[in-house]
């Protein structure tokens, strides 16, 4: 017999045993059995009995058994069956049954009871930790009731349970494992658990996203059939919305993980759009909301722009536009699709351009914008759809000057096409139709075509309207004011207010920050009296809003007035306000706009969201304009003329100050550019200087090498002079002919005269150089002329030196011939004295030649010094570059001349060598070879010195 039957003291063996115990007594005995039984089977049966009684006797079981049930979870971990019973019982205690529909009071009591037992369970955080540990148990009878119990606890005490799970080690990760469970019922309830867990907790949302939730959820959606799937797809989408909404970190992670691209297949709707199930409509509605979360205007502009770009690149926007233009789509899906496309294109130039190119599949094809505007101005269309179209049009024009220009252009006379309906024509038709809602929507849409676009405000002034046959056309601006003044003829009071508000918002947006439009508005003599009359009247509550907007319009006419109309200058308009209205009354009427309840509601978000058409009074962008202008207009109206003059003077002073600052800024920019140029030049000169220094170092090393060679040659020359005496003795032995000696004397005398002449010229040049050094270089032109003279004189000296060198060479050759001739004479002693004299004169001539070369070298150095002085003088002159190139050309010419001189010396050496070879061929011993080598040494020294001068 069942032990549970004994506890009830019911019928045993068909015989009654006395009165049956109450529910509370039975539950108390079951609790005692759970607490005291040592056998697991007894405890299991008692817990099973408590489970069966937990729904009917929820209060009693919760009050008496909750602690015993928690203890079972702690102690009987090895038995999955008793764990399952305990978890089910706890779930029945804390869960508020939503399947039945009890009365309101009973439902409230049930909710209070569930919250009470939840508080008792959560008071010990270890209980939640224990529950998370039990969820690791794979057994179905433990895991499933554990998931349901934790979900119920989260529903009743969400924030407290979230805090415990957040600090629990691996708490969120254990719950994420539920999505990988192969049993669908656990996976699906796991989705519900994660929905409750992620509500309003950004930290948990980030952890769940980090646990690869996006990948798992998108895979489940695909497995379940995407938009055609069932309730599981809906749960996945709700969880995704929890993770992404108002969580910029998860949104960025979603975008960076390329999950936006995986959303495109969701919106591949077929051609047959009939028979949409309610679940499919729900799923697609949530999918569209998910797209909107990623591009919501409340997100940061950078994040929104990057998501919009990704949606265009992957083709998601194109897919949404296909749904937008498809037929058979349910109205609520079409409305949400329009709202979604609106936010995908809002502020994105590329997406806006694409949307402008979309055509509806009609014959002939019409732009999607035109088709949508047709719905907006059609009073038979649903209200929410018309609001969505208006929002789409606003988003298309948001920060889109190109689109604004295209819309306004359809109103201009030169672009009107009578065969097709344009956006401008639809807006004008809605603006002047009998439907007040169409009036309001068309006015707001046209105002967005002018938002922050001075060019289009001026262009719209050109629009002319034909009101009736036989009457001249009137401007669009004038027609709007005419409708305002005739608004009292409309039938319904609410409609009249809505139309007036729409037109006043359009006019305020149009003429604000546009003095030309203000002048056009004031040019009509009826406008200002109409505005002052509206503001000064004592009207009802509904009309107070119209009075405030009229005050705003009149204030704009004052603030942006350029005083071009004599009758309506700023001062005269302010005097008119003071006489007709009163300044304080004017400011009070103006301030009523921002105090209106619908103004605050419209200022919250860009999308127009109104419960009824009558509440459709304010536009989001217009609320920004009011906030910007209210303070400025109030100050402008309350200021006196003297204060305005002072402000204008201060303004002029500030403008002058700004102009001075601007001039200084330009001067500083020029100086900065000059400094940068000079820095670049300095860098270039520094690099050139480094190169020159390296070149000079190399040249100095070469000069040192030449000096060393010169010293070696001088040592060698000393030895050669010792051998010269032997050569002289040989000359005494070998006599010369008298005729030849006389010729030699004449040649020596000529050479002496030439040397004296050269010495005289060198002396004059030395004095000239000395005077130049003492007097300084007077000018660049004078220095240039002196250098030119010196250059010519140096060239003359070089020519004379060359001729003298040739004479010496000739004399030496004749000397050799005399020596050869003396060998055949009979009386060689006769010419000994003559030969000795000739040798002494030859030596003197050679010494004088060497001296002359030294003087030439000195003169060249002086010329170089003067060239340096000339370079220093010309560096400060404006023709520095020309003089430098001229000097470089002169240096090149000098180098060429010196090269020619070196060639002559090389030829001389060659001739000497050939003469020596001839003497050797004749069998003569060359006793003056050392003398010839000495002469060659001198020539080599001259060549080295001239090469050094060329290098310098």
């Amino acid at each position: 017999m069942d032990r549970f039957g004994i506890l009830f003291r019911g019928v045993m063996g068909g015989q009654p045993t006395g009165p049956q115990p109450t529910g509370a007594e039975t539950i108390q005995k079951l609790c005692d059995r759970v607490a005291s039984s040592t056998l697991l089977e007894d405890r299991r049966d008692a817990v099973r009995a408590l489970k069966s009684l937990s729904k009917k006797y929820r209060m009693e079981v919760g009050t008496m058994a909750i602690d015993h049930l928690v203890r079972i979870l702690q102690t009987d971990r090895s038995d999955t069956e008793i764990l399952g019973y305990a978890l089910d019982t706890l779930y029945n205690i804390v869960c508020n049954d939503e399947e039945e529909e009890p009365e309101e009071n009973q439902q409230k009591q049930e909710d209070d009871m569930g919250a009470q037992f939840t508080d008792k369970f959560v008071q010990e955080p270890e209980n939640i930790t224990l529950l998370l540990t039990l969820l690791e148990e794979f057994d179905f009878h433990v895991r499933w009731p554990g998931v349901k119990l934790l979900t119920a606890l989260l529903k009743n005490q969400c924030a407290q349970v979230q805090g415990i799970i957040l600090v629990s080690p691996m708490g969120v990760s254990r719950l994420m494992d539920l999505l990988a469970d192969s049993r669908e019922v656990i996976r699906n309830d796991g989705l519900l658990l994660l929905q409750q867990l992620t509500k309003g907790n950004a930290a948990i949302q980030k952890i769940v996203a980090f646990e690869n939730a996006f990948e798992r959820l998108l895979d489940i959606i695909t497995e379940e059939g995407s938009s055609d799937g069932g309730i599981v797809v809906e749960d996945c989408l709700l969880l995704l919305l929890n993770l992404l909404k108002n969580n910029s970190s998860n949104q960025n992670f979603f975008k960076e993980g390329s999950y936006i691209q995986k959303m495109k297949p969701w919106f591949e709707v077929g051609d047959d759009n009939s028979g949409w199930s309610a679940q499919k409509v729900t799923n697609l509605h949530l999918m569209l909301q998910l797209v909107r979360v990623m591009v919501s205007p409340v997100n940061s502009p950078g994040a929104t722009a990057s998501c919009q770009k990704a949606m265009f690149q992957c083709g998601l926007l194109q897919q949404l536009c296909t749904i937008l233009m498809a037929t058979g789509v349910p109205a609520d899906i079409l409305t949400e699709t329009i709202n979604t496309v609106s936010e995908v294109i809002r502020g994105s130039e590329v997406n806006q351009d694409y949307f402008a190119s979309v055509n509806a599949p009609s014959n002939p094809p019409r732009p999607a914008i035109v088709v949508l505007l047709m719905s907006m101005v059609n009073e038979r269309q649903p209200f929410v759809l018309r609001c969505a179209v208006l929002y789409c049009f606003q988003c298309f024009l948001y920060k889109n000057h190109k689109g604004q220009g295209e819309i306004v252009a359809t109103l201009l006379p030169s672009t009107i096409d009578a065969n097709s309906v344009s956006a401008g024509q639809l807006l004008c038709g809605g603006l002047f139709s009998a439907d007040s809602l169409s009036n309001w929507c068309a006015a707001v849409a046209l105002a967005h075509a002018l938002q922050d676009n001075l060019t289009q405000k001026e262009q719209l002034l050109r629009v002319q309207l034909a009101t009736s046959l036989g009457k001249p056309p009137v401007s669009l601006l004038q027609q709007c004011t005419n409708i305002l003044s005739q608004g009292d003829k409309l039938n319904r009071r609410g409609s009249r207010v809505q139309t007036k508000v729409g037109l006043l918002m359009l006019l305020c947006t149009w003429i604000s920050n546009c003095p030309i439009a203000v002048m056009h508005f004031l040019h009509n003599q009826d406008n200002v009296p109409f505005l002052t009359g509206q503001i000064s009247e004592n009207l009802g509550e509904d009309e107070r809003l119209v009075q405030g907007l009229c005050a705003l319009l009149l204030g704009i006419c004052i603030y942006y007035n350029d005083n071009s109309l004599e009758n309506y200058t700023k001062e005269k308009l302010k005097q008119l306000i003071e006489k007709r209205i009163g300044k304080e009354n004017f400011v009070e009427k103006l301030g009523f706009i921002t105090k209106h309840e619908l103004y605050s509601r419209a200022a919250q978000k860009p999308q127009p969201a109104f419960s009824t058409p009558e509440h459709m009074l304010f536009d989001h962008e217009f609320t920004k304009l009011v906030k910007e202008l209210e303070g400025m207009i109030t100050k402008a109206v309350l200021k006196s003329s003297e204060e305005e003059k002072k402000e204008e003077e201060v303004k002029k002073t500030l403008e002058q100050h700004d102009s001075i600052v601007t001039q200084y800024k330009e001067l500083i920019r020029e100086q900065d550019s000059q400094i940068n140029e000079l820095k670049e030049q300095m860098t270039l000169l520094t690099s050139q200087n480094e190169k020159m220094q390296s070149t000079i170092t190399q040249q100095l090393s070469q000069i040192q090498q030449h000096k060393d060679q010169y010293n070696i040659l001088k040592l060698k020359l000393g030895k050669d002079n010792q051998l010269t005496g032997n050569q002289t003795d040989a000359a005494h032995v070998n006599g010369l002919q008298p005729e030849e000696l006389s010729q030699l004397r004449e040649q020596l005398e000529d050479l002496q005269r030439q040397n004296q002449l050269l010495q005289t010229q060198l002396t004059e040049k030395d004095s000239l150089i000395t005077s130049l050094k003492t007097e300084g270089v007077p000018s660049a032109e004078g220095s240039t002329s002196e250098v030119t003279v010196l250059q010519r004189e140096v060239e003359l000296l070089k020519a004379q030196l060359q001729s003298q060198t040739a004479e010496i060479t000739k004399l030496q050759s004749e000397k050799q011939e005399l020596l050869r001739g003396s060998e055949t004479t009979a009386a060689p002693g006769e010419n000994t004295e003559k030969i000795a004299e000739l040798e002494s004169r030859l030596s003197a001539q050679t010494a004088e030649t060497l001296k002359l070369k030294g003087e030439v070298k000195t003169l060249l150095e002086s010329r170089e010094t003067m060239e340096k002085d000339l370079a220093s003088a010309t560096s400060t002159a404006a023709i520095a570059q020309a003089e430098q190139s001229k000097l470089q050309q002169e240096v090149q010419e000098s180098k060429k001349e010196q090269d020619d001189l070196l060639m002559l010396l090389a030829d001389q050496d060659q001739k000497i060598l050939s003469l020596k070879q001839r003497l050797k061929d004749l069998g003569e011993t060359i006793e003056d070879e050392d003398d010839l080598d000495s002469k060659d040494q001198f020539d080599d020294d001259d060549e080295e010195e001239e090469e050094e001068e060329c290098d310098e």
Side-chain angles (χ1 to χ4, degrees), residues 487-488 490-501 543:
D488 294 334
L490 295 175
N491 295 327
R492 291 179 297 170
R493 186 176 185 83
S495 300
R496 183 175 69 248
V497 171
Q498 191 174 43
T499 300
K500 282 186 174 183
V501 169
E543 294 289 343

Side-chain angles (χ1 to χ4, degrees), residues 755-773:
N755 281 332
Q756 289 176 359
L757 179 60
L758 291 173
Q759 288 177 359
T760 303
Q761 293 175 352
L762 287 174
T763 303
E764 293 175 355
K765 300 307 178 243
D766 288 338
S767 63
L768 178 60
I769 291 169
T770 304
S771 65
L772 288 173
K773 289 181 178 179

Side-chain angles (χ1 to χ4, degrees), residues 533-594:
Q534 287 286 318
I535 300 170
S536 60
E537 288 182 4
N538 292 321
L539 301 175
E541 185 71 21
D542 293 338
E543 294 289 343
R544 290 183 64 187
L545 178 59
V546 175
Q547 289 181 318
L549 292 173
C550 289
L552 178 66
L553 183 59
L554 187 57
I556 293 173
C557 292
I558 295 174
Y559 189 80
Y560 292 106
N561 195 331
D562 58 0
N563 295 323
S564 59
L565 292 177
E566 184 178 355
N567 295 332
Y568 293 111
T569 61
K570 287 184 178 181
E571 188 62 29
K572 289 185 177 180
L573 288 175
K574 287 165 61 176
Q575 292 175 0
L576 184 64
I577 289 175
E578 188 172 3
K579 292 179 181 179
R580 296 282 184 87
I581 305 170
K583 291 184 178 180
E584 292 76 11
N585 188 27
F586 178 87
V587 174
E588 182 183 356
K589 296 290 179 67
L590 180 63
F592 182 77
I593 301 174
T594 55

Side-chain angles (χ1 to χ4, degrees), residues 438-451:
S438 297
N439 300 156
W440 192 92
C441 291
V444 170
L446 195 56
H448 277 260
L450 307 175
Q451 195 77 37

